[in-house]
Amino acid sequence: MVVIKKICCIGAGYVGGPTCSVIAQMCKDIAVTVVDVNAERIKAWNSNQLPIFEPGLQEVVESCRGQNLFFSTDIDKAIKDADLVFISVNTPSKTFGIGKGRAADLKYIEACARRIAEVGIGNKIVVEKSTVPVRAAESIRRIFNANTKCNLNLQVLSNPEFLAEGTAINDLKNPDRVLIGGDETPEGGKAIQALKSIYERWVPENKIITTNTWSSELSKLAANAFLAQRISSINSISALCEATGADVEEVAHAIGTDQRIGSRFLKASIGFGGSCFQKDVLNLVYLCEALNLPEVARYWQQVIEINDYQRRRFAARVIGCLFNTVTDKKIGLLGFAFKKNTGDTRESSSIYVSKYLMDEGAKLHIFDPKVKKEQIIQDLSQTSICDDDPDRVSRLVTIALDPYEACKNAHAIVICTEWDMFKELDYEKIYKGMLKPAFIFDGRRILDSLHGKLQHIGFQVETIGKKVTELIPFTAKKEISRMDLQAPAAKKLKI
């Protein structure tokens, strides 16, 4: 049996860093080196200010950094020394060319494969950890086969991550499953067993699933697509609830008690975000189109359509309730990360809600406890968000140091991330400092238990998937319906 003594992970991001930190903590006899071309990122991993926020990560890193966990920019040495190499680099959607906006851009995966083939020596197991399209392992293998050396023998495995940001450390230590895919050959079987033996140090054997490479790769895409589908499904019902007087939370509870459905991922909101869901669903759409499965492609495309619709619909509700204009009105936007307990803003719904409000001239005062000012400005300055007018961000966006500052003299509060701290704010103090009528738009359903109190204070409360008793006899349904809530797919894929 192949014994793994040294591991190299190429890519020190949200996947590589936490994953290899936990492996190092659980396997004290294995030396784990995480490498990256970004020197500043590696410097941060070696400091007390880690480059990413994840509950519990700091403690894990500090327990083994400098002992059997190392962070370095010396990529070639780490590859040469390693028995096993994880590829954990970014696989964004293509921004131009064939498959633009949908197909995965594998240039970083290819670069890693070529680097390994160039500098590697001896026997090595190369493991795809990044989310990749089906048959990406075959592309890696072709690069290896075309660059064979007598002193290098490589086996390729697929070991997709199933982490949820905010709970990544727990997900790594107590996973629902670990999936390993490899060649159905004796050599492939040995490689699978070698990787399996690492996870068996802390994961029960019955939770480690082995498959062929293609099934492993497709399982990752399918898992994210199914999760995204559930969110879009309950969000579509939330629109119906608002139109009929039903409460989407009550509907979700009722259907979630059915064991065949279950209660997970039935939380209505302003839409899903993060680095994986949209990218992976669009990747699946592109794959289906490439394989001449247009009906399947259209089915999964609709998951994205509903997500975009939910964001636009929420922004339209804000504008409609504020008497059909938010021009020059201050709006306190609470939360910018795509979910709580992370500083990650990739594909955050907050970005798109901010865009639609800026399109109408709103002055946004944004607060998030974990997202840096520079990241917020960068996200809102993207060409697809600022509509070729980057100066509008400096005109319309202010980053607040605390939630009270963000809400002072505001016409409305818009909650976009479900940070627990937003449940505990002094809303009487906030109300006194706001313009009247004062609105709260709860895009995450975190204030449900406070609706009565908030209304008693004087707030007009608007939330996802429920009609809250209105204190102001105003409606703008006709005007809202004129807004472009049915933007064509081609336009939406650009944002």
Side-chain angles (χ1 to χ4, degrees):
M1 178 178 171
V2 179
V3 178
I4 305 299
K5 295 182 178 179
K6 292 185 177 181
I7 292 175
C8 164
C9 176
I10 306 176
Y14 280 91
V15 175
T19 299
C20 286
S21 296
V22 169
I23 290 176
Q25 187 183 54
M26 297 298 185
C27 308
K28 294 294 187 180
D29 59 323
I30 298 178
V32 182
T33 303
V34 182
V35 295
D36 202 290
V37 296
N38 189 327
E40 286 299 315
R41 179 173 286 255
I42 292 299
K43 182 179 178 181
W45 277 109
N46 283 315
S47 73
N48 292 325
Q49 294 291 326
L50 300 185
I52 61 176
F53 171 74
E54 188 66 42
L57 177 60
Q58 186 87 32
E59 293 79 5
V60 172
V61 171
E62 290 177 352
S63 72
C64 45
R65 186 175 58 195
Q67 301 173 37
N68 68 321
L69 175 63
F70 309 94
F71 298 93
S72 172
T73 55
D74 194 343
I75 299 173
D76 291 352
K77 183 179 186 304
I79 292 174
K80 288 177 183 177
D81 293 345
D83 303 307
L84 183 148
V85 180
F86 284 117
I87 298 178
S88 299
V89 294
N90 194 18
T91 53
S93 297
K94 293 180 68 175
T95 56
F96 60 89
I98 298 173
K100 173 185 176 182
R102 296 176 297 169
D105 188 343
L106 299 182
K107 62 183 178 183
Y108 301 119
I109 296 283
E110 180 181 342
C112 288
R114 294 187 182 279
R115 191 82 167 261
I116 293 168
E118 179 183 351
V119 305
I121 54 175
N123 298 316
K124 298 189 188 301
I125 300 171
V126 179
V127 183
E128 294 175 335
K129 200 67 182 172
S130 305
T131 301
V132 293
V134 180
R135 306 193 79 85
E138 183 177 6
S139 300
I140 294 174
R141 194 174 290 107
R142 286 180 64 187
I143 292 173
F144 290 161
N145 292 340
N147 294 274
T148 54
K149 298 188 295 187
C150 60
N151 64 341
L152 178 63
N153 179 42
L154 300 168
Q155 286 294 319
V156 181
L157 300 180
S158 169
N159 176 217
E161 52 84 16
F162 294 98
L163 309 180
E165 289 185 43
T167 60
I169 300 303
N170 183 65
D171 294 341
L172 286 163
K173 292 184 175 182
N174 303 286
D176 291 332
R177 79 290 203 194
V178 171
L179 183 57
I180 304 172
D183 289 346
E184 296 173 307
T185 63
E187 294 77 12
K190 291 178 182 178
I192 290 174
Q193 287 303 314
L195 181 55
K196 184 179 178 182
S197 69
I198 294 174
Y199 287 113
E200 283 178 337
R201 306 280 190 100
W202 75 94
V203 180
E205 186 177 5
N206 63 353
K207 288 190 175 184
I208 303 177
I209 303 170
T210 59
T211 69
N212 67 42
T213 310
W214 323 131
S215 295
S216 177
E217 291 176 333
L218 183 56
S219 294
K220 169 61 176 178
L221 289 182
N224 278 346
F226 271 61
L227 293 174
Q229 176 201 51
R230 283 177 70 91
I231 296 173
S232 282
S233 294
I234 198 63
N235 280 342
S236 70
I237 298 300
S238 75
L240 186 59
C241 287
E242 291 168 27
T244 61
D247 183 344
V248 72
E249 287 286 295
E250 294 177 348
V251 174
H253 175 70
I255 64 177
T257 55
D258 187 327
Q259 294 183 1
R260 297 168 299 175
I261 298 173
S263 60
R264 301 287 298 276
F265 277 75
L266 290 180
K267 184 73 173 179
S269 68
I270 53 175
F272 58 76
S275 63
C276 290
F277 281 5
Q278 175 158 311
K279 179 187 71 172
D280 289 355
V281 174
L282 290 174
N283 194 342
L284 190 61
V285 170
Y286 182 72
L287 176 65
C288 292
E289 291 177 346
L291 296 175
N292 196 28
L293 299 170
E295 293 82 5
V296 181
R298 287 197 296 271
Y299 174 82
W300 289 110
Q301 177 65 41
Q302 192 61 28
V303 171
I304 302 298
E305 303 287 330
I306 289 293
N307 198 53
D308 291 342
Y309 166 73
Q310 187 78 343
R311 293 163 170 171
R312 295 194 309 273
R313 194 173 70 84
F314 182 71
R317 191 171 175 185
V318 173
I319 296 165
C321 287
L322 291 178
F323 315 107
N324 276 339
T325 179
V326 292
T327 303
D328 293 329
K329 289 181 179 178
K330 176 179 177 179
I331 295 177
L333 194 143
L334 301 184
F336 202 79
F338 83 91
K339 62 186 287 189
K340 71 175 183 179
N341 293 333
T342 181
D344 193 353
T345 63
R346 288 176 291 180
E347 290 300 325
S348 173
S349 290
S350 302
I351 297 173
Y352 298 97
V353 171
S354 297
K355 168 187 163 49
Y356 301 137
L357 294 176
M358 286 194 296
D359 287 346
E360 297 290 325
K363 292 187 174 180
L364 305 181
H365 288 243
I366 302 172
F367 168 77
D368 189 285
K370 291 298 178 182
V371 181
K372 296 179 179 178
K373 173 182 178 179
E374 295 77 14
Q375 185 63 54
I376 296 175
I377 298 301
Q378 178 182 322
D379 289 337
L380 295 180
S381 298
Q382 299 175 67
T383 303
S384 58
I385 301 299
C386 65
D387 293 333
D388 296 320
D389 180 16
D391 291 338
R392 83 169 184 174
V393 176
S394 61
R395 295 195 311 269
L396 299 177
V397 176
T398 301
I399 309 304
L401 298 177
D402 64 68
Y404 297 100
E405 178 187 329
C407 299
K408 187 176 181 180
N409 296 320
H411 290 259
I413 302 168
V414 177
I415 297 177
C416 289
T417 309
E418 68 278 21
W419 288 104
D420 291 335
M421 68 178 298
F422 298 152
K423 303 175 188 177
E424 301 166 359
L425 297 177
D426 185 345
Y427 283 102
E428 288 194 32
K429 174 182 175 181
I430 290 174
Y431 178 78
K432 290 177 182 178
M434 291 179 65
L435 275 67
K436 312 301 186 294
F439 293 81
I440 290 183
F441 297 90
D442 184 3
R444 293 291 179 177
R445 293 295 299 254
I446 63 171
L447 301 180
D448 281 12
S449 62
L450 300 177
H451 284 172
K453 176 182 177 181
L454 292 171
Q455 288 183 309
H456 180 74
I457 291 171
F459 281 106
Q460 164 117 358
V461 181
E462 300 289 335
T463 192
I464 293 284
K466 180 183 179 181
K467 279 186 176 180
V468 181
T469 304
E470 295 186 6
L471 297 180
I472 298 173
F474 174 80
T475 180
K477 290 183 179 178
K478 293 182 179 179
E479 287 79 358
I480 293 175
S481 67
R482 295 173 189 162
M483 294 194 63
D484 184 19
L485 296 182
Q486 303 292 341
K491 285 177 64 178
K492 290 180 293 168
L493 290 175
K494 293 180 182 178
I495 62 175

